[in-house]
Every structure is written in C-alpha cells, then in structure tokens.
Amino acid sequence: MTDTPHLSTTTPHPARVYDYWLGGTNHYAADAEAAEKIARIWPKIKEGAQHNRAFMHRAVRYLTAEAGIRQFLDIGTGIPTEPDLHQVAQEIAPETRVVYVDNDPIVLACADALLTSSPEGRVSYLHADVTEPDAVLHSPEVTGTLDLSQPVALSMVALLHLISDASGAGELVRRFLAAVPSGSYLFLTHATHELNPDLMARVAEAYRPVSTEGQLHTKKEIARFFDGLEFAEPGLVVTHRWRPDPAQRLPELTDAEMSGYAAVARKP
C-alpha cells in the first residue's frame, strides 16, 4: 500500500484500526499495534466488528427490499470492505444511488473501489468533513447524485461514538435529518459502556492514541439521536440482535461482548 499526501502512517487512525479488525489490508504497523492492544483488552472486538458490519448489510437490505429506499448517504464511510453498501443495495435494486462521505485520506486513496456502480444506478464519493453538514449537503457529489426531495437513508454506522457531545454529535444528526424529507431513514450503530462498564473503561483508555474525541453513551442517550423518528422493529437493540440472519453465519456473542446498540428509524 503506497503512501498518500497528508496521510500519517505512524499514528493509528480509527478507519484503519477498524479495517484491521475486519481482516482488511488497508492499514499500517501503527494501526495493527493499536488494534491488537485493544483486542487484548476486548478479546471479542474482531467478532464485534464483523457483527457491526453485518448489521449494515441487514439494514440496507431491509431499507431497499422492504422500505423501498433507492437513495443512501453514507456518512463516515470508512475503508471499503466488500460487499459495501452500494453493492448490497444495488443487488436488490440496481437503480439505487449512493454517496459515500469521509475525510480520511486513505479512504480517498481507495475511492475507486467505491465508485463501481450498476449501469442503472450511480455511486459517488465525497472527500469532506462529516461534521460540516452544510458543506456535505450542498456539494456537487450529493446534489448531482441524490434528489433530496425524495426519501434518503442516512447511514451513520460506527460514527457517532467518535464525535463527542461537546463537538455536537446530536446537532450533526439533526442537521442531516432536517435536510431530507418525510419517508427518509436514519440507521446507525454506537458503542456503549453500560453493558460492560469495567471493560469499556479500559478500552476507552487504550483507544486514546487512536482518537481522543469520542464518547460512549447509554441506550437512553443513543435513543436521543432518533428523537422524532419512528423505529423499525425491533427498535434500538444490541447490534447483533437487530433482525439477525442465520445465513450470515457470524460468531456468537453475548450482549456484554458486543457492547453496542443499533437501530433503523423512519422520519414521519
């Protein structure tokens, strides 16, 4: 993997650490070292990352096949891992349009892998700061790919626990939701400390070299991101319990080992 301008290979980065846990190859020694340090504390973190990714696949299938969504805005994309969001959606509805948004240079370097759309649909990648919703929403990539007068599914998978309340995580969600019409959806996953407090306190400390900005929340606090929305069944639940699919053949985890919540909800 070649270096990219403005890309530090000696400081661990959340997207590359997550890529390591998923078994990807787009990371460096510093990322692997940080990921393994955390894995020694949280032995099931790699399995948890798999479940987190599997939730995204299930949510996208539900939104495409059952809710009729044909537009997705993936906020905080991370490093491409197949099958990615557009591949899952376009397998069901080839005309689906997707915009990926991230500000990590390594995601930019891998963007070509994101841009292979079905002939009927369209896929775009926007290199931007996800904490600046107006810049994202008014970008040519978004306005040229999505019709914001029609329902859009907003994906914030494994994003909001990297943004603290002080930095406006809740306001970020509200501003994106305000820009999409009735019938749109929000789906997300979020790490929590309430299911295994001692473990997650040690994980948070070990994660500081990767990111000092993040913040874990309780289920009640995570539910506030969905204020005014209507939950799809089964509501806000531990990530691996959201409409589990035996066909995914994932390793079994307890709620404490997963330590994260997930939900899909509709804007009325």
Side-chain angles (χ1 to χ4, degrees), residues 71 73 75 132-139 142-143 146-154 156 170-186 229 267-268:
Q71 302 189 111
L73 181 56
I75 305 161
E132 298 178 359
D134 290 343
V136 171
L137 292 164
H138 296 134
S139 68
V142 170
T143 60
L146 307 178
D147 178 357
L148 296 183
S149 70
Q150 298 299 313
V152 177
L154 303 171
M156 297 185 182
E171 179 62 18
L172 170 74
V173 176
R174 286 189 290 272
R175 287 169 69 185
F176 274 111
L177 281 169
V180 295
S182 174
S184 295
Y185 283 80
L186 169 66
L229 305 184
K267 181 177 179 179

Side-chain angles (χ1 to χ4, degrees), residues 25-46:
T25 59
N26 293 300
H27 52 262
Y28 298 95
D31 306 304
E33 182 179 352
E36 282 297 333
K37 180 179 179 180
I38 296 167
R40 286 193 290 273
I41 299 169
W42 189 357
K44 295 295 184 178
I45 183 60
K46 294 179 183 179

Side-chain angles (χ1 to χ4, degrees), residues 55-73 84-98 100 118 121 151-155 183-185 187 232 242-243 264:
F55 160 78
M56 184 273 284
H57 294 162
R58 298 195 302 275
V60 170
R61 290 190 187 104
Y62 163 74
L63 290 165
T64 310
E66 298 185 43
I69 293 294
R70 296 295 182 265
Q71 302 189 111
F72 290 82
L73 181 56
D84 224 317
L85 189 156
H86 73 283
Q87 295 168 319
V88 175
Q90 290 182 345
E91 182 179 5
I92 297 167
E95 70 274 22
T96 301
R97 294 178 167 231
V98 179
Y100 293 103
S118 66
V152 177
L154 303 171
S155 169
S184 295
Y185 283 80
F187 65 103
W242 195 93
R243 301 192 178 202
V264 177

Side-chain angles (χ1 to χ4, degrees), residues 20 94 140 218:
Y20 178 89
T218 65

